[in-house]
Amino acid sequence: MAALLGAGLAVAAFPAVAAEAAREGPSEAIFVAELVLLLLVGRALGEVMQRLRQPAVVGQLLAGILLGPSVFGAVLPSLHHWVFPDAPAQKAMINGVAQLGILMLLLLTGMETDVPLVRRAGRTALSVSVTGIAVPFVCGFALGFFVLPDAILPSPAHRLVTALFLGTALSISSIKIVAIVVREMNFMRRNLGQVIVASAIIDDTIGWIIIAVTFGLARPGGLDARSLAVSILGTLAFLVLSYTLGRRVVSIVIRWANDNLRSEYPVITAILVIMGVMAIMTDAVGVHTVLGAFVAGVLVGESPILTGHIEGQLRGLITALFMPVFFALAGLGTDISILANPRLLATTGGLILVASLGKFAGAFLGGKIGGLSRRECLALALGMNARGSTEVIVATIGLSIGALNRDLFTMIVTMAVFTTMVMPPTLRWALARLPIGEEEAARLEREAFERDDFVGGLERLLLAADASPGGRFAARVVGLVGGLRGLPTTVIQLGDTAPPEAVASTAESVEASAEAVRETVAEEASGTVDVITRKGRAPTEAGGIAQEAAKGYDLTVVGREPALKPDGGFAPEIAAILAELEAPRVVVVARGVLRADPSNGPLRILVPVTGSEASRRAAEFAFALARQRDATVTVLYVSAPANRQARAGAPLLGRPETSKALERGIFAEIEAKAAQQNLRLRTRVRIADAPAEAILRQMRRAVHTLVVLGVSQRPSDTVPFGSTADSLLGRSEQTMVFVASEPRVRDASGSGSGRERRDGRAAMIELR
């Protein structure tokens, strides 16, 4: 209510503001008022559309239509003129926001492009996209070149360019609308859902290339062979350069900004600069800047440093400001009153019919070529019919360069609104009738395990290690964890006097172990590990490691010696590091076989489990280490005896039934995770009052070389991982890897673990 009252007061003040602007030139107040009005109405109608299970972009377009000459201008023409004056300088201010909005929207579209998804969808998505673009493009081009009368063309001499824009507008699907509906139906990971989204991605990519080339043809001077060759060759050169050298450069720039700049939001600035530079590059070769912004988004989205938090910040700016303003402005330029003309109304209906039938036929044909069933082809063809935001951007570009006039622009926007509103209910109807096969069900189950996997969620690793055996084994651990998916890794070499060859040796150890796991599971490997090294400086190494870890690393692995104090417990240097680190962390203590040969010693891994989140994630970490050839994993569950409360010295009796049920549940979950990774593991149960004693006994009997223990960090300098971990640390003869997988969050006093804070909050909720 307060917002509506504010809008009413703003509208009431517009006449005086506009009159003042007419006397003094462009008014910043009118510009701000236009933004406020477009944002307010656009977001309000977008919210209404979402509640009606329609895309928000439909509401934003309708907001512009309501504020434009069709409604607001027809009902209150004088007030409409005051609010949106025709003064060129005043219009240039708001149009500048629209032009920047186009680039930002294309940047976001590129960032949302799932390149691995396109690769997985493969031939089917490509055939659907090619035929799904070719058929409606030919129909639209023929409509514009042979059918449309000269009276509704911006210039009969430029009929070719108009026909190209019309063909493009009719052929491209809106990836945003398609992805929203497919995700809402929980179909994103289904086979057909991936084909639909991948096809829309390819549609967008091909479409922006066509638009870029068409823009080059529409430049002053008309069509000639030289300009056509420059546009096509320039576009090809730009794409080749971007997806080869450009991918590496973008990754380096984003990493450098994230790791070296201290100002707020440095990565956001770097992304915007990358977008601007690539947009200028496409303009320099004679094509539209949208192609540069789109390709920049694709490369940025592939950067391993782009965390969800950073992407969310940029998405918030675009979604909250540029989307509602741009689409409302597009609607503002739409005059639906022209549809009162029977001839134009019939032409618009024909345009919608040609667009829908052409896209349906093309996508259905492509699905058949790709080997899909009839039901799948039907759902695919219905899903690809949404035009939405993409067509509005295409129409806006065409209008800005004179390839379209207001009548054609209104027709295309009407077509976009109609197809966007029709697609969601029809696609929901078709998807709800698609059965799921056994192979697809198995894949979905496997992916569900992977999404919940601790190691599978890691994107960037930090290794803090010296040249000791413990440091070298820590490097091996990092290589094994990051090698399968090619996770970028930073190495901080600890020690004041570490020679350059020691730094190089640590990095080489990471790369060697990564290569070992890649050779073992070559069919699953993706990418290569990118290792950069930095030299730590004592005595402030704990602060230096924490400062580096705060730059967006998902896991820090520490390996340094001495690891223990003579009287037990972690050495002060490691304790200081643990006190500073808050992100998930792993501490390596090398002993036994793996101390003698940290780079190649056998991995016979023991993982104690209790059913806790910490022990489950430790098992997942151990499975990642076990992907190396000849590694073995044993899972140990320590059960309390039935006579725990019996007098001292009494023999231990069997396990209680509750313990047996818990054991079965724990083993079932862990065995399922191992099976998903094609790992074989052994399970053992031991009865003991003290878990540390049972773990040590198992280690001696089975000759394990490595124990991976899930821990939670306590606010203690002497026993940071608890009594069981402390006992094993002092008595184990084999290598220990402590996995603290939960971020440690400081409490109000500046210390304390994240688990303790969450437990306390949960207790408060229960009391309420």
mmCIF file of all heavy atoms in Angstrom, residues 259 328 546 729:
data_model
loop_
_atom_site.group_PDB
_atom_site.id
_atom_site.type_symbol
_atom_site.label_atom_id
_atom_site.label_comp_id
_atom_site.label_asym_id
_atom_site.label_seq_id
_atom_site.Cartn_x
_atom_site.Cartn_y
_atom_site.Cartn_z
ATOM 1 N N ASP A 259 41.851 -13.058 -5.987
ATOM 2 C CA ASP A 259 42.945 -13.350 -5.066
ATOM 3 C C ASP A 259 43.790 -12.143 -4.698
ATOM 4 O O ASP A 259 44.488 -12.179 -3.676
ATOM 5 C CB ASP A 259 43.870 -14.423 -5.675
ATOM 6 C CG ASP A 259 43.178 -15.767 -5.811
ATOM 7 O OD1 ASP A 259 42.040 -15.894 -5.317
ATOM 8 O OD2 ASP A 259 43.760 -16.679 -6.413
ATOM 9 N N ALA A 328 9.971 -3.829 -19.521
ATOM 10 C CA ALA A 328 8.915 -2.826 -19.445
ATOM 11 C C ALA A 328 9.100 -1.776 -20.534
ATOM 12 O O ALA A 328 8.130 -1.311 -21.141
ATOM 13 C CB ALA A 328 8.899 -2.181 -18.062
ATOM 14 N N ALA A 546 45.109 -18.494 6.513
ATOM 15 C CA ALA A 546 43.714 -18.104 6.692
ATOM 16 C C ALA A 546 43.320 -17.005 5.717
ATOM 17 O O ALA A 546 42.206 -17.006 5.172
ATOM 18 C CB ALA A 546 43.489 -17.636 8.128
ATOM 19 N N LEU A 729 45.655 -39.759 17.621
ATOM 20 C CA LEU A 729 46.795 -38.940 17.224
ATOM 21 C C LEU A 729 48.040 -39.331 17.995
ATOM 22 O O LEU A 729 49.153 -39.386 17.443
ATOM 23 C CB LEU A 729 46.468 -37.461 17.451
ATOM 24 C CG LEU A 729 47.543 -36.442 17.097
ATOM 25 C CD1 LEU A 729 47.799 -36.439 15.593
ATOM 26 C CD2 LEU A 729 47.128 -35.047 17.556
#
